């Protein structure tokens, strides 16, 4: 199995631009998670899906952030408009229903907003 | 509020010796505790877990201990190897979410 795939690996954009991060979970995993890692806040959960349905989005910082999962093999996290404080590493992770806590992480997308 | 805390940002251990990483938590409703390992430019990798109904779980060189009365868990690595040099995150599951600590950078010296 290829593992969780994220693209792009690096993204540099200017303040005000739209940013879209992409994730392909491991086949057969029903749960998909989006995390953000910063020096100040560490690794924090933004949102997670079960069977393509958003279950908990309480970690999404504000309305500029949105996430979708149109099918079992694809999810996006969008930031519009982006701000310098959004600079972070964004991870996507997936897990199977019976091992919810054993989450498999992708390599992350390092986002820099200038 | 930080529900899961790793108070040591870094730890340096000699190869072959025991590495002990510590983690404290505040929420008594957590039902699973985990350790993840992270190398630079990679995502965290699941290492070992323990249910709240147990006090020890062992997997090869890795052992996790849980002290519920003290709300404390620890990860023991013995013997430590150079490939163990990484950032280790403690995590706890509650309300269908994982809450992560800030991480401890472990360096194994030859």
């Amino acid at each position: 199995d290829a593992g969780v795939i994220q693209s792009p690996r690096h993204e540099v954009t200017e303040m005000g631009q739209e940013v879209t991060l992409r994730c392909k979970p491991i086949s057969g995993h029903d749960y998909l998670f989006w995390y953000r890692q910063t020096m100040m806040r560490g690794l924090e959960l933004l949102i997670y899906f079960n069977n393509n349905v958003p279950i908990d989005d309480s970690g999404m910082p504000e309305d500029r952030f949105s996430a979708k999962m149109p099918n079992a093999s694809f999810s996006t996290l969008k930031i519009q408009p982006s701000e310098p404080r959004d600079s972070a590493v964004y991870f996507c992770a997936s897990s199977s229903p019976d091992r919810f806590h054993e989450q498999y992480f992708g390599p992350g997308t390092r986002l820099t907003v200038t | 509020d930080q529900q899961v805390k790793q108070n040591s940002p870094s730890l340096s251990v000699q190869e072959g010796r025991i590495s002990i990483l510590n983690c404290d938590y505040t929420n008594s409703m957590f039902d699973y505790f985990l350790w993840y390992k992270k190398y630079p430019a990679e995502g965290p990798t699941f290492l070992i877990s323990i249910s709240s109904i147990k006090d020890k779980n062992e997997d090869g060189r890795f052992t996790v201990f849980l002290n519920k009365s003290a709300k404390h868990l620890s990860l023991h690595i013995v013997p430590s190897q150079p490939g163990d040099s990484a950032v280790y995150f403690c995590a706890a599951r509650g309300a269908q979410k994982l809450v992560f600590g800030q991480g401890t950078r472990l360096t194994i010296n030859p």
Side-chain angles (χ1 to χ4, degrees), chain B residues 7-80:
Chain B
N7 292 316
S8 298
S10 63
L11 176 67
S12 186
V13 174
Q14 194 170 2
E15 182 179 358
R17 307 294 288 266
I18 184 171
S19 295
I20 300 176
L21 297 112
N22 295 300
C23 179
D24 296 301
Y25 62 94
T26 57
N27 189 342
S28 58
M29 300 301 291
F30 288 141
D31 63 352
Y32 251 98
F33 301 89
L34 308 94
W35 286 94
Y36 280 78
K37 175 180 178 179
K38 185 182 181 305
Y39 292 120
E42 294 183 12
T45 302
F46 170 74
L47 194 56
I48 192 170
S49 66
I50 186 168
S51 165
S52 61
I53 62 173
K54 296 187 176 182
D55 54 21
K56 177 182 175 182
N57 188 27
E58 191 172 351
D59 183 2
R61 297 186 298 114
F62 303 91
T63 303
V64 56
F65 295 91
L66 176 63
N67 182 335
K68 287 188 290 294
S69 60
K71 293 191 174 67
H72 177 84
L73 71 155
S74 60
L75 175 68
H76 292 210
I77 306 173
V78 56
S80 300

